[in-house]
Amino acid sequence: MPQTPSPEAPAPKSSSDDKVSVDIIASPDLDKAAHELERDSPVISPDLYNEPIVTRKELWSYYMYYNGDNGVGPLGFSMTLFQSLATAAGYDPVKGPGSSCLAPDTSGQCVLPWGGGTKAVASIVLIANGVSFAVMTLIFTTIGSAADYGTFGRWILFVVTCICWAAQFASMSLTEPSRWGLAMALFMVGFISYGATLVFFAAAFPRLARNTSHSRALREKYNAGEVSLEEYELEESLEKNRISNISTAHSNIGYIVILCLNLSLLIPQKDNPKVNNYCLVLINGYWVITGIWWFIFQQPRPGPSLPKGESYLTIGWKQIWLAMKQYKKLPYTFIYLFSFFLLADGLNTTGTLVSICQNDKFQFSFLQNTFLGLAQAITSTASTFGFWYIQRYWKISTKKMFVVTNVFTMLIPFWGMLGIWTTKVGYHNVWEFWAYNVVFGIFQAPYYSFSQTMMAELSPPGYDNMFFGLFGLSNRASSMIGPNVIQAIIDKSGNNWMGFPFLFALCVSASLVIWFAVDVGKGRRDAGKWAREAREKTGVVEELKND
């Protein structure tokens, strides 16, 4: 452990490659701040000086938004309803048109008319996922960076949230198999807007974490020379993990609450053909009630004004091009983004494929899916707090915790791959879906939390939306490759399980790159240096001096 300088000693000097300058935010004196910007320190902090300290109401409203935005509706039940209607509208290709995919003697295959021919229902579901991810890619690359300017990020989150709410409420109209096309459209709109809410809301996380009372106190101690750089970085990273883990836990707590609420409908109304639609409305109403407070209590932390002559529709592409051209200055950030792109593609598509197998096994039962979801939600909540306790107690780095979750990310598609050669294991049996949901809950909830914290560590301060937009491209929008590859494999083979080997290879290769090629400490310093240089080029220092 490095020696801590005495309080009377000046802050330790270090080279531009070793020190993260954090005194900018804490300084109330703009002249001093402008002077600090001109030092050889590599980092400037975001938006720099007068951001309000996070209040208790604001932090809890942040948690409560995640509590409602847990994906049960747009990510889970909407797809189940869409697949259910599509299956009811389809026919068994072995028996020919007019047959039912739900008949007791069905062959297990189900197709729908598609583009002059037919296509398997599972392939259509994967196409809907793939197209949705492609649209998310367009959204995140076009307006992701624009959210760093002014209050645009705040308003775009509000808009995509309202769109998602509207799509979920519209599910009340999905009551007939003939409406499977509308179900597909509403699923895609809800899924796209849901993915956008995750990205634009997550972009608020780094700025929120840097402005808690604890973070401010840490910076003051560092400025006064009371703690070393290494100790400061570790403690600030733990503060980020604290907020990330608590918000992830709240997402799973919300998951538990709404699944229990669903049971209050699904059990007494099990014979009502519209009970699934009622559940979606109930889920969405819960999110409205818990999510609206963020838009009320969020304090203003606007970014800089949009540069003259620029447009919100083009600035994103220009910023991304600027960052891509300078990838050599941010090697670890871009290695992480690229490898996480592949990892998220593999995991997200694996989840979709397992859900398709699960829906077939349980005949699209919302009740069974609710019980399975409860198993996942309960274990997710417990594991999030458990992983956080372990990390805090032993002060383990974010990357090491993330590596542990990666191991089980690889095992999920590996288990499905076994189902190609045997029906004894490999997502063919009821117990396996229970085991899958428990294992997923234990290891994948912390996976999402630590991956977000890793991105916060590697993002240039003040460019949070820009790089979280790219992270969203890597995370939510990455799966435009996997679903399209897998649906082609399924169409050719007629076997859902043939998609798992490709997904296993994708997860393994991406995990190995993250483990051995990403240095978070160096990446954080590189990101800070890049942020300072980028701001100096746009005249931030002069603006502060003249303020």
Side-chain angles (χ1 to χ4, degrees), residues 475-526:
N475 186 10
R476 303 310 312 171
S478 64
S479 298
M480 55 184 175
I481 298 174
N484 290 306
V485 172
I486 300 307
Q487 69 88 16
I489 293 173
I490 291 174
D491 262 356
K492 186 175 181 179
S493 65
N495 185 341
N496 290 350
W497 282 260
M498 292 301 295
F500 284 113
F502 172 78
L503 298 172
F504 174 66
L506 207 58
C507 290
V508 169
S509 59
S511 295
L512 291 175
V513 173
I514 291 174
W515 296 358
F516 299 108
V518 177
D519 188 318
V520 177
K522 291 181 179 178
R524 178 174 177 169
R525 291 165 174 76
D526 290 341

Side-chain angles (χ1 to χ4, degrees), residues 415-427:
W415 189 265
M417 189 169 64
L418 298 178
I420 297 173
W421 302 289
T422 177
T423 57
K424 292 182 179 179
V425 294
Y427 306 122

Side-chain angles (χ1 to χ4, degrees), residues 55-94:
T55 65
R56 184 177 179 84
K57 285 183 179 179
E58 183 180 23
L59 190 58
W60 271 97
S61 68
Y62 179 81
Y63 294 150
M64 292 307 294
Y65 184 96
Y66 263 134
N67 191 292
D69 191 19
N70 49 58
V72 174
L75 190 60
F77 283 4
S78 287
M79 192 184 86
T80 300
L81 185 59
F82 158 40
Q83 188 181 347
S84 174
L85 293 178
T87 301
Y91 64 89
D92 187 337
V94 175

Side-chain angles (χ1 to χ4, degrees), residues 300-335:
R301 295 185 183 90
S305 300
L306 192 70
K308 291 182 179 180
E310 297 293 349
S311 165
Y312 282 113
L313 294 178
T314 59
I315 189 68
W317 289 99
K318 291 180 179 179
Q319 291 276 41
I320 291 171
W321 178 243
L322 170 66
M324 296 296 285
K325 286 198 302 182
Q326 300 187 24
Y327 73 94
K328 291 183 179 179
K329 295 183 178 181
L330 298 168
Y332 299 110
T333 302
F334 279 97
I335 289 173

Side-chain angles (χ1 to χ4, degrees), residues 6 158 169 261 333 405 436 440-441 483 514 545:
S6 64
F158 180 72
F169 281 132
L261 289 174
T333 302
T405 67
Y436 161 77
F440 193 95
I514 291 174
K545 286 181 177 179

Side-chain angles (χ1 to χ4, degrees), residues 62 65-66 157 196-207 452 456 464-465 468 471:
Y62 179 81
Y65 184 96
Y66 263 134
L157 175 63
T197 65
L198 293 181
V199 170
F200 290 114
F201 191 64
F205 158 65
R207 186 167 292 172
Q452 176 177 272
D464 304 306
N465 279 285
F468 267 82
F471 182 60

